[in-house]
Amino acid sequence: MKEINYDIIVVGAGHAGIEASLSASRMGLNVALLTMSIDTMGRPSCNPSIGGTAKGHLVKEIDALGGEMGILADKAGLQFKMLNISKGPAIWSPRAQIDKDLYPLYVKQTLLPQNNLSILSGTALEVLIDKDKVTGVVTDSGVTLKCKALILCAGTFLNGVMHTGEEQVRGGRVGEPSSDKISDLLASYGLEKGRLKTGTPPRIKKGSIDFSKVKLEPGDENPKPFSYKSAGVKNKIACYQTATNQETHDILKEGFERSPMFTGRIQGAGPRYCPSIEDKINRFSDRDSHKVLLEPEGINTDSIYVNGFSTSLPTEIQERGLRSISGLEKCEISKWGYAVEYDFFYPYQLKFTLETKAISGLYFAGQINGTSGYEEAASQGLIAGINAALKIKNEEPLILKRSEAYIGVLIDDLVNKNTEEPYRIFTSLAEYRLLLRQDNAYSRLMKYGNRIGLVSNLDLTEQTRKDDLVADGYRRVKESKIEKENVNPYLQSVGESEVSQKTDFYSLTKRSNVELTKLIDLNYNNSLLPFWYNKDLAKTLEIEIKYEGYIERQKREINLFLNNENKQLPIDFDYSALNSLSTEAREKLSKIRPMSLGQASRIPGVSASDVSILSLYFK
């Protein structure tokens, strides 16, 4: 029996495992990444895309902290788009269609040469625990890997079962086996587990699509990268849109009696906000069509991802249903859709560092925590890797508040709320979203990345210079004025009233339809030259000016929020002895063990009066 020692072992090389292993090794720890296959590290098992509504915010935050997902997405990106641009800036979200073959290739090129990181091929059969402390894992080759911290990033592989119609196959992804022992072992240590489900649509061959019948969905005219480290990106493909119809729905309904979802063979709950096509038809019976996007999976493949058609229906029903859709009448299917059901562990059992409360040194990241999505997984992997490294180095943990980052919102929600279905991040979940925009992620978080050693001093200095420039921009735009004859034609063209005299840039920018960059183009002066050269800085300054009142109000709300966050609660307090609390509050508080009064206030079932009782008692 061979035994090898590491500081940290990361099990699973999906998006969570990539970030966990890179962050910890870059922080100077000796890390082993255990993966079933070195060639499938980072492989997009579902949609070949990165980002999207709120998910794009996560990618920008990962980049600001020194993570890798944004860089990888820029390298493998095929089409880039800023979503929700017609709405307020708080919900603008970057998204990229990526090459499903290039992305794992770039992952491999990043991981293999990384200092302090060993890539091991194999499966973890057993987690070693001694006196409630993790000590290592045993692999399928009989090797014992010893460690001070273990990060489990198991994805959908824990007791995974794939469903297509009445057919069931064990595995976490097509062609890859499931891991069948670890979740039962962890459950024997008292960790509560559950069952969830996710799915993927069929893939069809590009040459079998009639593109004359589908709508073109181009990328942005001037695409922007996710990462500040990327020089630039280009759009290399186009996507297309079509839709289901009543005939499609009627065909799919024929397979409902053989659907694993409706016959009870799948016990786990699926993602509410990314439902299967059969679930959409069943839940929204009044709708006669649902949007379907046709997204190329790569440059060197003719495989098209049928976004919006996730299904586990029998294969003949999938084929007939697809061929009833406009443009897909003669489509050829290269891979069938399927659902995968898997074990997860309820995340109330985690600390905000993503370390389990029951077992010291054991961290969970990704779908094992009941989340869905590559971006959510990568965010958790990054935080778990950072905190495992910081714990071993005896340094303060990195815990992002929900007032600081979408990553903070994600983890706070996981720890405090019941996970009955796969969790997905949304902008609506962030109460301070006007302050947590994708354009200011670096201003918010780069200082933390620098503190832990993942962001260089040079990069932080450059970001500080930009932040100072935007802050000083308030003074500049108030002092700089533009002649009425120069600005009135522009004001008239955007539907704004003309001015009668020379007017400052600040007052004009406050107007709804006015863009600061356009004003500077009309008549810039030396004090505004930096914003003429850097349009992104100008846009950030414009947002700060337009939403000044709302931003100040949210800052005041955050001060009140932080007041309760700073009121610490004893982790071992006996809430059952405090009879003035409601019965539900006593149960929830005893289960979750909040660290602060603020955290207690966000636990469902803990009322405002319960929080007042706690505040008074501890005062």
Side-chain angles (χ1 to χ4, degrees):
M1 291 287 288
K2 190 176 180 182
E3 184 174 299
I4 310 174
N5 290 287
Y6 296 95
D7 291 321
I8 296 171
I9 297 170
V10 179
V11 176
H15 301 283
I18 292 165
E19 299 294 347
S21 57
L22 283 173
S23 58
S25 59
R26 287 169 175 171
M27 291 171 70
L29 281 297
N30 186 19
V31 180
L33 175 59
L34 184 64
T35 175
M36 289 182 181
S37 170
I38 291 175
D39 292 325
T40 60
M41 297 186 299
R43 178 176 153 194
S45 52
C46 194
N47 192 352
S49 70
I50 297 293
T53 301
K55 291 171 177 283
H57 290 70
L58 290 179
V59 181
K60 297 290 282 188
E61 291 180 354
I62 289 168
D63 196 56
L65 290 167
E68 200 69 19
M69 178 171 264
I71 298 169
L72 293 168
D74 289 340
K75 288 180 178 179
L78 300 177
Q79 187 193 70
F80 296 82
K81 207 168 193 176
M82 186 68 74
L83 305 183
N84 307 319
I85 201 69
S86 62
K87 301 176 183 177
I91 61 172
W92 296 350
S93 302
R95 181 186 186 274
Q97 198 70 21
I98 60 171
D99 191 305
K100 72 178 178 68
D101 298 317
L102 284 179
Y103 194 90
L105 179 64
Y106 288 125
V107 167
K108 194 173 178 181
Q109 290 177 359
T110 302
L111 291 175
L112 289 179
Q114 177 61 44
N115 293 333
N116 307 317
L117 179 60
S118 300
I119 313 295
L120 309 178
S121 182
T123 302
L125 293 184
E126 184 180 356
V127 174
L128 302 176
I129 299 168
D130 182 30
K131 296 178 181 178
D132 297 330
K133 183 176 181 180
V134 74
T135 60
V137 298
V138 178
T139 72
D140 55 348
S141 59
V143 176
T144 298
L145 306 176
K146 303 288 283 187
C147 65
K148 299 171 186 175
L150 172 65
I151 306 173
L152 280 183
C153 310
T156 60
F157 286 85
L158 294 181
N159 289 328
V161 178
M162 294 175 288
H163 299 261
T164 304
E166 295 171 305
E167 181 183 337
Q168 294 183 15
V169 178
R170 297 199 67 81
R173 189 162 56 191
V174 169
E176 297 180 50
S178 61
S179 177
D180 298 334
K181 294 182 180 179
I182 286 182
S183 63
D184 293 335
L185 176 71
L186 293 175
S188 72
Y189 280 91
L191 290 170
E192 184 186 1
K193 68 174 182 175
R195 201 86 172 137
L196 291 175
K197 166 257 174 186
T198 188
T200 190
R203 275 64 160 179
I204 61 177
K205 294 182 179 180
K206 183 178 180 179
S208 65
I209 299 171
D210 184 348
F211 287 99
S212 68
K213 295 182 178 180
V214 296
K215 177 185 174 185
L216 179 68
E217 290 284 341
D220 287 342
E221 187 175 336
N222 297 303
K224 294 181 180 178
F226 281 108
S227 178
Y228 72 98
K229 294 181 179 179
S230 301
V233 292
K234 293 180 180 178
N235 289 324
K236 302 169 187 174
I237 61 161
C239 296
Y240 301 87
Q241 180 182 320
T242 183
T244 63
N245 51 60
Q246 192 58 54
E247 182 188 358
T248 312
H249 299 184
D250 292 339
I251 292 170
L252 297 182
K253 285 176 183 177
E254 292 177 29
F256 279 12
E257 62 183 19
R258 289 182 286 158
S259 165
M261 284 184 57
F262 299 139
T263 57
R265 286 194 299 278
I266 292 180
Q267 300 294 320
R272 183 191 312 180
Y273 300 103
C274 189
S276 65
I277 186 63
E278 56 263 40
D279 194 24
K280 283 191 276 192
I281 293 170
N282 188 52
R283 283 165 50 189
F284 307 108
S285 56
D286 57 325
R287 292 185 57 178
D288 56 11
S289 72
H290 294 280
K291 184 166 71 172
V292 171
L293 292 173
L294 306 175
E295 300 172 332
E297 290 202 296
I299 297 250
N300 299 313
T301 176
D302 69 346
S303 179
I304 299 291
Y305 180 91
V306 188
N307 194 344
F309 205 88
S310 176
T311 182
S312 57
L313 289 169
T315 55
E316 70 273 15
I317 296 293
Q318 292 188 34
E319 184 173 47
R320 287 175 55 210
L322 282 171
R323 290 184 173 179
S324 68
I325 296 173
S326 180
L328 307 185
E329 292 86 354
K330 297 181 180 180
C331 72
E332 297 177 32
I333 298 171
S334 54
K335 185 187 292 185
W336 302 107
Y338 66 92
V340 58
E341 192 178 17
Y342 56 94
D343 286 350
F344 81 104
F345 287 87
Y346 289 96
Y348 75 82
Q349 301 168 109
L350 300 176
K351 301 175 183 178
F352 286 126
T353 58
L354 298 183
E355 182 182 23
T356 60
K357 295 173 183 175
I359 302 171
S360 177
L362 177 62
Y363 295 76
F364 290 165
Q367 284 175 290
I368 193 172
N369 290 333
T371 63
S372 67
Y374 309 146
E375 303 81 7
E376 287 90 340
S379 299
Q380 294 168 70
L382 180 64
I383 295 300
I386 289 170
N387 281 313
L390 291 173
K391 182 174 183 175
I392 293 171
K393 295 166 79 171
N394 293 314
E395 296 181 16
E396 286 293 311
L398 176 65
I399 298 175
L400 298 174
K401 300 180 181 67
R402 60 189 301 124
S403 59
E404 292 179 305
Y406 271 85
I407 295 175
V409 173
L410 165 68
I411 295 174
D412 191 75
D413 281 351
L414 288 177
V415 173
N416 287 332
K417 297 177 180 178
N418 289 332
T419 304
E420 302 297 340
E421 61 189 42
Y423 178 95
R424 178 182 177 182
I425 194 69
F426 283 101
T427 52
S428 58
L429 297 174
E431 55 270 56
Y432 309 115
R433 57 185 172 273
L434 196 51
L435 292 172
L436 306 183
R437 306 186 309 274
Q438 56 84 31
D439 67 283
N440 67 5
Y442 302 106
S443 303
R444 292 185 279 114
L445 300 177
M446 196 175 264
K447 58 182 180 289
Y448 296 124
N450 177 258
R451 176 172 69 81
I452 58 181
L454 295 179
V455 172
S456 71
N457 291 334
L458 186 64
D459 286 344
L460 180 62
T461 298
E462 173 60 15
Q463 183 57 45
T464 302
R465 182 191 70 81
K466 291 178 180 178
D467 293 341
D468 291 343
L469 192 58
V470 171
D472 188 49
Y474 266 87
R475 175 187 60 80
R476 297 172 185 241
V477 293
K478 287 180 178 178
E479 292 176 352
S480 302
K481 296 186 177 182
I482 184 170
E483 298 289 346
K484 64 178 183 179
E485 53 269 23
N486 290 338
V487 74
N488 278 339
Y490 168 66
L491 294 176
Q492 191 176 35
S493 70
V494 295
E496 294 284 352
S497 59
E498 298 181 356
V499 294
S500 58
Q501 58 186 7
K502 192 175 183 179
T503 307
D504 62 80
F505 283 76
Y506 175 83
S507 301
L508 292 168
T509 304
K510 279 282 188 182
R511 298 188 179 196
S512 299
N513 300 324
V514 170
E515 294 182 42
L516 179 58
T517 52
K518 298 291 177 61
L519 292 179
I520 296 172
D521 285 340
L522 289 173
N523 185 12
Y524 63 84
N525 56 42
N526 288 336
S527 71
L528 293 178
L529 265 181
F531 298 98
W532 186 79
Y533 285 119
N534 192 321
K535 304 298 184 184
D536 290 337
L537 278 184
K539 180 56 69 174
T540 296
L541 178 56
E542 177 188 320
I543 293 169
E544 296 285 336
I545 292 170
K546 283 188 188 298
Y547 297 91
E548 184 177 21
Y550 298 102
I551 289 172
E552 288 304 315
R553 186 172 70 187
Q554 288 202 346
K555 286 179 178 178
R556 289 193 296 270
E557 290 172 358
I558 287 174
N559 288 333
L560 293 173
F561 164 80
L562 293 177
N563 187 39
N564 278 342
E565 291 300 297
N566 293 329
K567 292 178 180 177
Q568 300 297 303
L569 299 179
I571 198 69
D572 56 352
F573 181 72
D574 183 9
Y575 291 100
S576 63
L578 198 53
N579 292 327
S580 49
L581 292 172
S582 67
T583 301
E584 185 178 9
R586 290 199 299 271
E587 291 175 355
K588 293 289 182 67
L589 291 166
S590 298
K591 183 178 181 180
I592 294 175
R593 296 276 161 199
M595 296 172 62
S596 69
L597 192 65
Q599 184 188 352
S601 70
R602 296 190 296 279
I603 298 173
V606 178
S607 67
S609 61
D610 291 322
V611 174
S612 297
I613 290 166
L614 284 175
S615 180
L616 184 61
Y617 179 86
F618 287 109
K619 186 176 181 181

